[in-house]
Amino acid sequence: MSFENIFGFPPAVTASAPGRVNLLGEHTDYNDGYVLPTAIPQKTTVSMRPNSGGEFVVHAADLASESRFEREAKPGDHFAAYVYGCIRGAMATGAEIPYLDIYVESDVPMGVGLSSSAALEVATLRALRELLKLDLDDVRIAQMAQRAEIDFAGVNCGIMDQMASSLADPKQMLFLDTRTLERRLVPRPPSTEVLVVDSGLSRSLATSAYNERRHECERASASLGVAALRDIGDVSRVESLDEPMRRRARHVVSENARVLRAVAGVDAREFGELMNASHASLRDDYEVSVPELDRLVELLQQQPDVYGARLTGAGFGGACVALCREGTAAGVGRDVVDQYGSKGRVLVPEATS
Ligand code: GLA
């Protein structure tokens, strides 16, 4: 299927954006902290063309679904709500948005913590920017994408995923200060490769636990008298907090320090140790891991060609990421999935058939 098959004309514009995997800096973005994601090779592509039918028509190739909606009516379909949120964001800039035929294709794995929704939002906004010649830079696109997610998809997320989709590339890491949005692309440790394995466990608890963690972090920063946990540099300061705020804050403060250490220029071995420490902190202090993720991470960490591994994304299911010796990731992934069981899947590197 293609845009032309569905709508009878070629698209006027086509734009795409990648998913992301976060290497370090988990649950730090809504604490004004530091993150270190990289883009993955999989991407979402959005094509569009103005129509004269008096409604937006969104066709999602991979979901075989079609959604129709008008300017003032949010679609019930979850997938179309992301597109709608982007259209509303573009309207809020003062732009006149014509009704559009929209076609979405994606190979970003969904629901596993690789930001398929950010890829959809950023690709949609890029297509709108091109079609309507909107004066938006990539940071503004990320900010509008985040607003679409919060206001129209109902997820109170930070800005990491949208900034990664808008500004990262798969060959480097995006070091981002989520408070100032200062950023720079930094190389991975030499001779390394990224491996992403799905646990096969859906992230059912993720939204409620995510909001609860955010709230605990806000309580912790209020008790410590700072604007955000990012303002705490010395981890011993969290010791005065009540539980569970003490452990939540300890995770955030130590995780920020790990990101800063990683971008100070460490070798693969030390980077891997930071990833392992991040997982332990997410498991023990932040309590967003589950036994399946712990098992998968342990299997990854036992592999001689793996420098380090951790859960990635919000937690409670989804994927794990490992840093491997260059050229070994596909093989390590297959071995680990064999041991883990049939629910596991290698997502990056993509299978070649
Ligand atoms: C989700 C959110 C991000 C970030 C991560 C956890 O992916 O969308 O903003 O908070 O969880 O690091």
Side-chain angles (χ1 to χ4, degrees):
M1 272 300 178
S2 66
F3 187 100
E4 198 162 351
N5 290 144
I6 305 276
F7 296 113
F9 295 95
V13 294
T14 296
S16 59
R20 68 95 187 94
V21 61
N22 191 19
L23 298 176
L24 268 181
E26 213 66 83
H27 290 280
T28 49
D29 63 351
Y30 52 83
N31 290 296
D32 277 3
Y34 305 103
V35 293
L36 197 56
T38 185
I40 58 172
Q42 291 96 329
K43 58 187 194 308
T44 296
T45 301
V46 173
S47 306
M48 52 179 65
R49 180 189 179 101
N51 69 32
S52 48
E55 59 185 357
F56 293 98
V57 182
V58 179
H59 190 95
D62 310 284
L63 303 175
S65 79
E66 189 167 277
S67 184
R68 294 167 177 269
F69 51 92
E70 293 174 23
R71 281 195 188 83
E72 305 302 331
K74 179 180 155 186
D77 168 20
H78 197 63
F79 181 82
Y82 293 108
V83 176
Y84 179 73
C86 295
I87 292 170
R88 291 296 297 252
M91 282 164 66
T93 68
E96 285 268 324
I97 315 283
Y99 281 117
L100 299 164
D101 291 336
I102 301 174
Y103 182 70
V104 181
E105 283 171 291
S106 181
D107 60 357
V108 181
M110 280 187 269
V112 295
L114 297 182
S115 296
S116 59
S117 61
L120 172 61
E121 291 148 5
V122 171
T124 302
L125 287 161
R126 283 180 173 168
L128 288 169
R129 170 171 71 184
E130 195 180 329
L131 181 73
L132 304 165
K133 307 280 174 274
L134 303 177
D135 182 19
L136 304 170
D137 64 15
D138 291 340
V139 171
R140 187 83 190 92
I141 291 256
Q143 289 169 322
M144 289 168 69
Q146 183 198 19
R147 276 273 42 106
E149 182 108 17
I150 295 173
D151 294 343
F152 295 96
V155 182
N156 196 14
C157 62
I159 199 160
M160 165 171 70
D161 304 346
Q162 292 78 14
M163 283 293 279
S165 183
S166 190
L167 291 141
D169 83 60
K171 293 204 163 57
Q172 305 185 78
M173 309 184 289
L174 177 74
F175 170 49
L176 171 69
D177 177 338
T178 64
R179 171 174 279 170
T180 62
L181 299 188
E182 274 173 56
R183 66 212 167 266
R184 91 188 125 88
L185 290 171
V186 291
R188 272 201 318 272
S191 308
T192 57
E193 194 180 354
V194 172
L195 167 66
V196 181
V197 182
D198 181 21
S199 68
L201 190 73
S202 79
R203 300 175 304 159
S204 47
L205 272 172
T207 308
S208 57
Y210 189 87
N211 291 335
E212 190 182 282
R213 293 294 178 279
R214 275 196 83 134
H215 185 63
E216 288 163 352
C217 288
E218 281 157 20
R219 282 182 61 192
S221 57
S223 303
L224 293 167
V226 291
L229 287 176
R230 133 69 175 277
D231 297 310
I232 306 291
D234 173 3
V235 76
S236 67
R237 280 190 64 192
V238 308
E239 295 304 323
S240 60
L241 293 167
D242 293 338
E243 292 295 1
M245 272 61 74
R246 186 179 71 92
R247 278 175 302 137
R248 306 298 186 247
R250 190 165 63 185
H251 164 72
V252 174
V253 174
S254 64
E255 186 77 351
N256 278 327
R258 282 185 282 274
V259 176
L260 293 176
R261 177 77 199 127
V263 295
V266 298
D267 62 10
R269 189 175 304 274
E270 193 177 341
F271 197 103
E273 281 164 11
L274 292 166
M275 291 174 80
N276 294 342
S278 170
H279 184 78
S281 177
L282 288 160
R283 180 191 60 209
D284 302 335
D285 279 349
Y286 219 62
E287 295 183 289
V288 292
S289 192
V290 287
E292 285 87 342
L293 291 175
D294 292 340
R295 175 142 183 280
L296 186 51
V297 164
E298 218 168 277
L299 292 172
L300 286 162
Q301 289 172 346
Q302 282 162 5
Q303 292 278 325
D305 288 320
V306 168
Y307 294 110
R310 55 186 286 276
L311 70 82
T312 188
F316 291 100
C320 297
V321 62
L323 190 72
C324 303
R325 195 182 305 280
E326 191 168 32
T328 68
V332 167
R334 276 194 302 274
D335 285 356
V336 164
V337 166
D338 276 351
Q339 294 173 53
Y340 176 77
S342 59
K343 287 202 312 188
R345 255 185 327 154
V346 177
L347 302 176
V348 177
E350 290 176 279
T352 45
S353 50

